[in-house]
Amino acid sequence: MSTISRDEVARVAVLARIDLRPEEVDRLAGELDVIVESIAKVNQVATPDVPATSHPLPMTNVFREDVPAPALPVADVLAAAPDAQDGKFLVPQILGEE
């Protein structure tokens, strides 16, 4: 028995403003139904004594120590910029303001 109907797929597509052809609605209804069935199988296996996990292996923080370092010289940084003026990056005007 299908849990996701083509009418539900069409309704969600309208809400999401996605224009789907009838054959796409039929295909997606079948694909979403398979996904829902797979989730139902996982829920049958899941037990309260097994903690939920997002990763199969424990994750550790891999960030480096935040150690202050000397800044790059302004001249070196601006040398790599497409354009500079008065010691600052010069970027195209986008708002039409002076």
Side-chain angles (χ1 to χ4, degrees):
M1 181 177 141
S2 178
T3 56
I4 305 290
S5 70
R6 78 178 308 283
D7 291 337
E8 289 173 312
V9 172
R11 181 177 165 271
V12 171
V14 169
L15 291 173
R17 295 185 173 133
I18 300 172
D19 188 24
L20 295 176
R21 295 186 304 273
E23 60 271 11
E24 291 174 314
V25 172
D26 293 333
R27 180 180 53 82
L28 286 171
E31 290 176 3
L32 290 171
D33 199 42
V34 170
I35 293 170
V36 169
E37 288 173 8
S38 298
I39 292 170
K41 288 179 187 177
V42 170
N43 284 337
Q44 290 173 352
V45 175
T47 60
D49 58 331
V50 176
T53 58
S54 62
H55 299 283
L57 302 174
M59 294 187 64
T60 57
N61 188 347
V62 295
F63 293 120
R64 65 172 169 77
E65 231 6 81
D66 190 11
V67 179
L72 294 172
V74 173
D76 291 350
V77 173
L78 293 177
D83 204 359
Q85 180 179 339
D86 299 326
K88 299 176 185 144
F89 293 107
L90 185 62
V91 296
Q93 185 176 352
I94 59 170
L95 299 177
E97 299 174 356
E98 291 293 324

